[in-house]
Amino acid sequence: MNIRLSILSLVFAFSGTLLTPTVNAAETTAAPRDASQLKIASGSALLMDLQTNKVIYSSNPDVIVPIASVSKLMTGLVVVEAHQNMDEWIDVDISHTPEMKGVFSRVKLRSELPRREMLLIALMSSENRAAASLAHHYPGGYAAFIAAMNAKAKALGMTSTHFVEPTGLSERNVSTARDLSKLLMAAQKHPILTELTTTKEKTVSFRKPNYTLGFRNTDHLVNKADWDIKITKTGFTNPAGHCLVLVTRMSNRPVALVILDAFGKYTHFADASRIRSWVETGRSTNVPAVAQQYKAEKNLKGRQSGVVEASK
């Protein structure tokens, strides 16, 4: 037995791959790879092992930033946990969401759609008018819905998160990568959120007046056969950059992945692929120079250092 233990000790000592720490070594689980081999374009990111609830990789995970339409995942969670009738027809009403002024939408004001379909297009296709309408038709009204979003964030331990509206159009909807991993963990417990956020495309039928519109998922990864995605939401505004949160599997383990403030239309998806490649092979592709420049100018690393110092 002693000989076997010695041999195993030598194997781990020389391989190092299972014991190499990630970016935030003090708080992470034993990492599968060397974090220095992973380069990402996003300003903030976090990868969590959902079997152990331990962080595998993180980069500036505690910086408070706008989260754009990732906000709609909390909108969906609040709607689902209110146990309202999903078959009830509700009208499109954005009167309580001033952020919607001047924002284009194909959805006609005052037309009607069942609550389930309204939730579908809010989550799958990030339809802002649908998200605002869900909040308007919440028990107690719009203000009660926003209060419920913040109460849920508090209940989940999302201490750096705050919402002022349900769509994510406001840059005052803020959170951190670490907080959003908690939101993902809560959302994955609801099968309806898995179904709606991962629907690839759907044509829905409105009434008053009668018309149909086709919608597609804003997360391109749901169309890729080699990605097993359980929950997902994207987001983009100029202040927030491109954002992506999802629950999937990497190296045969369930993980929650948060990517915030990435440059470019496809950079957040590329970062997800880089992180997955790093987990599964130990290697990742390089980050384009323009994305590196954007990341340097945002300087979330400097803000993360400030968060760490303040917490001491």
Side-chain angles (χ1 to χ4, degrees):
M1 178 65 70
N2 290 337
I3 293 175
R4 291 180 63 189
L5 288 174
S6 297
I7 292 173
L8 285 172
S9 298
L10 287 171
V11 169
F12 284 119
F14 285 105
S15 66
T17 54
L18 293 176
L19 303 178
T20 304
T22 61
V23 171
N24 293 353
E27 64 178 7
T28 56
T29 186
R33 302 294 177 185
D34 178 3
S36 67
Q37 300 302 309
L38 175 58
K39 300 293 187 291
I40 62 172
S42 53
S44 178
L46 185 141
L47 181 68
M48 175 175 287
D49 186 325
L50 292 179
Q51 288 182 333
T52 63
N53 291 341
K54 297 295 185 180
V55 176
I56 300 171
Y57 171 84
S58 65
S59 175
N60 308 322
D62 300 305
V63 178
I64 300 173
V65 293
I67 58 171
S69 286
V70 171
S71 303
K72 293 186 180 77
L73 190 57
M74 179 62 84
T75 296
L77 184 61
V78 170
V79 169
V80 168
E81 293 192 345
H83 303 293
Q84 294 176 272
N85 182 358
M86 286 293 175
D87 296 323
E88 179 186 2
W89 288 78
I90 61 176
D91 68 308
V92 177
D93 189 328
I94 64 172
S95 59
H96 289 79
T97 313
E99 292 82 3
M100 291 293 303
K101 185 177 181 180
V103 176
F104 172 77
S105 173
R106 297 178 299 152
V107 175
K108 299 178 181 180
L109 293 176
R110 292 177 293 281
S111 61
E112 295 182 354
L113 196 65
R115 180 175 282 106
R116 181 188 179 90
E117 301 284 82
M118 201 77 83
L119 183 57
L120 168 69
I121 63 176
L123 293 173
M124 174 188 73
S125 195
S126 213
E127 172 52 54
N128 291 309
R129 287 187 175 182
S133 301
L134 290 164
H136 179 82
H137 292 281
Y138 185 77
Y142 188 89
F145 188 87
I146 306 306
M149 292 178 75
N150 286 303
K152 187 62 181 180
K154 183 178 180 180
L156 293 176
M158 299 171 66
T159 57
S160 298
T161 299
H162 184 68
F163 300 98
V164 299
E165 49 86 30
T167 70
L169 287 170
S170 173
E171 62 182 281
R172 292 186 294 157
N173 278 18
V174 296
S175 189
T176 67
R178 192 184 306 280
D179 274 8
L180 291 174
S181 69
K182 298 174 183 179
L183 176 57
L184 283 168
M185 292 171 68
Q188 71 163 345
K189 297 177 182 178
H190 296 278
I192 188 174
L193 294 179
T194 290
E195 177 188 345
L196 299 185
T197 65
T198 60
T199 299
K200 295 179 181 179
E201 58 184 356
K202 181 74 179 293
T203 297
V204 299
S205 298
F206 295 81
R207 71 181 189 185
K208 298 182 181 180
N210 294 331
Y211 64 101
T212 60
L213 290 175
F215 295 88
R216 291 185 177 181
N217 203 306
T218 56
D219 183 354
H220 301 171
L221 299 179
V222 301
N223 296 310
K224 295 184 177 295
D226 59 339
W227 280 86
D228 180 18
I229 296 177
K230 303 301 184 185
I231 293 281
T232 184
K233 189 69 195 77
T234 64
F236 170 75
T237 60
N238 287 327
H242 290 271
C243 305
L244 173 67
V245 300
L246 55 85
V247 171
T248 186
R249 297 187 70 83
M250 295 183 185
S251 195
N252 201 33
R253 76 177 77 185
V255 295
L257 175 62
V258 179
I259 293 171
L260 302 176
D261 199 7
F263 172 84
K265 188 175 181 179
Y266 300 104
T267 306
H268 46 325
F269 302 126
D271 265 356
S273 295
R274 289 184 188 97
I275 291 171
R276 179 182 171 188
S277 177
W278 169 76
V279 168
E280 297 179 349
T281 71
R283 300 180 300 275
S284 71
T285 57
N286 292 325
V287 174
V290 65
Q292 291 178 332
Q293 181 179 354
Y294 172 88
K295 183 176 180 179
E297 290 174 353
K298 282 299 193 77
N299 191 28
L300 295 194
K301 183 176 182 180
R303 292 171 58 187
Q304 171 72 18
S305 300
V307 170
V308 173
E309 287 299 320
S311 66
K312 290 182 179 179

